[in-house]
Amino acid sequence: MADYPILTILILLPLAGCLCLAPVWNCRKSVRPLALGFAVAELALAGWLLLTAPGMSVAPGAPAGYFLWEDAAWIERFGIRYLLGMDGISLLMVGLTAFITVVAMLVSWRGVTERTALHYFLILLMESGIVGVFLSLDLVLFYLFWELMLIPMFFLIGIWGHGRRVYSAVKFFLYTLVGSLLMLLAIIGVYLVHGAGSGVYTFALPLLARAPITHAAAPWLFGAFLLAFAIKFPLFPLHTWLPDAHTDAPTAGSVILAALLLKTGAYGLVRFGYPLFPAAARSFAPLLMALAVAGILYASWVAFAQEDMKRMVAYSSVGHMGFVALGIASWSPVALSGSILQMVNHGITTGALFALVGMLDERAHTREVAAYGGLWGKVPVYSFFFLLFAMASAGLPGLNNFTGEFLILAGAFRTTPLAVVLAFVGIILPLVYTVRLVQELLFQTERQPLQLSDVTLREGALLAVLAGIDVAIGFHPKPLLDLLTVPVALLTGGAP
């Protein structure tokens, strides 16, 4: 396996799909299956890695924990390398990316009727950028892929969005631009400070992490990284771009935004922020915990008041990602494993909820809760899946979100019991607004005579797969947690 550049293939395969769309650009019937074919091929490769990873040993020349490794000189004069690596954490994130990309393509199968080729081109381009983010171990390479994944989302919201799509796209772009500039400044700062101290000027994470930065500038550099990643999280109070982006994005955009783009901020903090600045991270931990708990409580409260289902799910995302932030801030092995698992759980559950809201919007052309009622008797299959994913999002035991949140709270309780007690209230609040949504949508008397059809075979099959993963992780998360054991132990061994 080491003879093949599998990590490079994972990045280039979606780009190859982009190129192959060119000859059939104006043929809608050919564009969709061709793009889906490349997405499925990426998913098959990621799935094969998930199945074979437990038997892999450390790759030659790689640090402990990395079973796939690619390293080549790129711009040697400035210490920039083409450095990719895969451990259990990045494998889970790449697998999630490949799966959600297929989901995003299938949910927009009939809904996108204009500029179809460009739509699928942007999704594949974004997939390549996100996979690159999860595999890069050189800061410059990471930054380039970070930028690559954001541009397609700007166009997806601006071109295929609804309502104030231009406003939401520009707002998303401005927040992203600020975060990117902060990250770029921090990357240059790390390069100069580390080089001045060690005599080795490099952007490679393994070399940088070998001698963590303890310079007086460390809190400022970590603060810049934290702000850049917190915008993408989104961490309270930097979350205000998210509800607008979700509300006006097309269904595929909302699915990718919630399931993947939010995870890149948390991943960046785990992969780069804490290993590079362990002392500064320890000093920032109380602030991060306070913001995480505030986000959980605030987002849950605001979600309860929403009448637009997309905004309700968007605010619930802010709350769920607050739990992820809490687990990272505690930096204990159990809590950190729970946070990484919760990133996968949130991607599956919230992606499914956005897909379900999009299906309803396609049929009735409204997302207002007040427009619906009595769906259980009208569209029973749709209602069953909506109830299942709503309960998963609320943290019902036996479903996936419960597992992640339980690990986070159990792991963080030893170090910060007060934060955990407050966060526990954040588990109860989502249950309140979820019950309200389910009651009004599914069981309350019908308020408008809407002509709705139940899910199609394509939609039903897609929802069944998502539900199967939800239940499987809820009852048996061990295979995923086993993948995290070594990398989490290595990360927490020398950090706060």
Side-chain angles (χ1 to χ4, degrees):
M1 184 179 294
D3 296 334
Y4 299 96
I6 294 175
L7 303 182
T8 300
I9 293 172
L10 280 167
I11 294 171
L12 293 184
L13 195 56
L15 290 179
C18 292
L19 294 176
C20 290
L21 289 180
V24 295
W25 196 261
N26 295 318
C27 181
R28 192 189 307 166
K29 289 184 178 178
S30 300
V31 161
R32 286 187 290 212
L34 184 60
L36 182 63
F38 277 92
V40 170
E42 180 87 349
L43 177 60
L45 182 54
W48 174 68
L49 289 172
L50 277 167
L51 292 174
T52 56
M56 294 186 194
S57 55
V58 177
Y66 288 92
F67 47 82
L68 288 176
W69 186 259
E70 295 175 25
D71 184 11
W74 183 15
I75 307 175
E76 288 187 90
R77 181 179 178 184
F78 297 109
I80 302 173
R81 303 190 68 79
Y82 179 77
L83 181 57
L84 305 175
M86 176 179 276
D87 61 0
I89 300 173
S90 47
L91 174 58
L92 276 184
M93 294 298 109
V94 169
L96 178 68
T97 304
F99 176 67
I100 290 298
T101 301
V102 173
V103 172
M105 286 189 175
L106 288 175
V107 297
S108 55
W109 199 257
R110 296 295 179 197
V112 176
T113 56
E114 295 180 355
R115 302 176 185 177
T116 309
L118 180 60
H119 184 268
Y120 286 98
F121 174 91
L122 291 173
I123 290 178
L124 286 171
L125 185 63
M126 192 157 33
E127 181 181 27
S128 180
I130 296 171
V131 170
V133 163
F134 290 139
L135 295 179
S136 297
L137 294 176
D138 181 280
L139 283 171
V140 172
L141 196 60
F142 174 81
Y143 181 77
L144 292 177
F145 282 121
W146 180 274
E147 293 298 298
L148 177 65
M149 74 175 181
L150 298 175
I151 296 170
M153 180 55 71
F154 169 77
F155 286 109
L156 278 178
I157 298 172
I159 297 175
W160 291 275
H162 315 283
R164 301 186 302 167
R165 64 178 189 273
V166 175
Y167 167 81
S168 297
V170 171
K171 191 174 183 180
F172 167 78
F173 176 77
L174 291 177
Y175 269 82
T176 297
L177 180 65
V178 171
S180 296
L181 289 176
L182 286 169
M183 187 192 298
L184 182 60
L185 290 174
I187 289 173
I188 295 172
V190 168
Y191 175 77
L192 295 175
V193 169
H194 185 273
S198 65
V200 179
Y201 286 87
T202 180
F203 290 98
L205 177 64
L207 294 177
L208 292 170
R210 199 173 294 169
I213 296 171
T214 56
H215 189 271
W220 295 99
L221 294 174
F222 177 76
F225 269 115
L226 180 60
L227 274 173
F229 294 137
I231 289 173
K232 196 58 64 227
F233 236 103
L235 194 66
F236 175 86
L238 303 171
H239 66 284
T240 57
W241 63 272
L242 183 73
D244 290 331
H246 269 310
T247 302
D248 296 328
T251 302
S254 291
V255 170
I256 294 175
L257 191 58
L260 300 178
L261 289 197
L262 305 191
K263 310 303 176 298
T264 57
Y267 176 84
L269 197 56
V270 171
R271 180 68 77 198
F272 294 98
Y274 273 68
L276 289 176
F277 310 98
R282 185 166 49 242
S283 66
F284 272 80
L287 173 63
L288 186 55
M289 284 187 182
L291 294 178
V293 172
I296 292 169
L297 298 176
Y298 168 79
S300 300
W301 182 261
V302 175
F304 181 79
Q306 298 304 310
E307 289 299 325
D308 185 314
M309 284 185 280
K310 258 193 168 183
R311 289 188 79 85
M312 185 181 289
V313 180
Y315 275 108
S316 77
S317 287
V318 176
H320 289 306
M321 291 306 290
F323 279 98
V324 174
L326 179 63
I328 293 173
S330 73
W331 206 248
S332 72
V334 174
L336 185 57
S337 296
S339 287
I340 297 167
L341 181 65
Q342 188 62 6
M343 289 198 278
V344 177
N345 293 337
H346 178 261
I348 300 296
T349 304
T350 306
L353 282 174
F354 274 119
L356 281 162
V357 173
M359 290 172 192
L360 208 54
D361 192 22
E362 276 185 20
R363 287 161 169 78
H365 306 293
T366 177
R367 301 188 303 264
E368 293 295 315
V369 178
Y372 295 97
L375 293 187
W376 190 265
K378 212 174 206 181
V379 283
V381 179
Y382 176 93
S383 300
F384 166 76
F385 283 118
F386 192 93
L387 180 62
L388 176 73
F389 291 115
M391 290 299 106
S393 179
L396 191 72
L399 298 174
N400 59 348
N401 275 28
F402 173 81
T403 310
E405 290 175 356
F406 177 79
L407 289 173
I408 292 169
L409 295 180
F413 186 77
R414 291 183 179 180
T415 54
T416 52
L418 177 60
V420 170
V421 170
L422 293 173
F424 186 76
V425 179
I427 291 182
I428 298 173
L429 289 176
L431 191 61
V432 175
Y433 68 73
T434 301
V435 169
R436 173 222 160 191
L437 176 63
V438 167
Q439 194 272 332
E440 290 197 28
L441 204 65
L442 305 186
F443 301 114
Q444 185 165 293
T445 306
E446 183 180 11
R447 283 169 282 192
Q448 290 186 28
L450 297 171
Q451 295 299 319
L452 300 175
S453 57
D454 214 333
V455 295
T456 64
L457 183 61
R458 170 180 54 84
E459 293 168 339
L462 180 63
L463 293 171
V465 172
L466 287 163
I469 296 173
D470 236 32
V471 175
I473 297 178
F475 275 97
H476 189 55
K478 186 175 182 301
L480 300 189
L481 291 173
D482 285 348
L483 287 174
L484 301 177
T485 303
V486 173
V488 166
L490 291 169
L491 281 170
T492 54

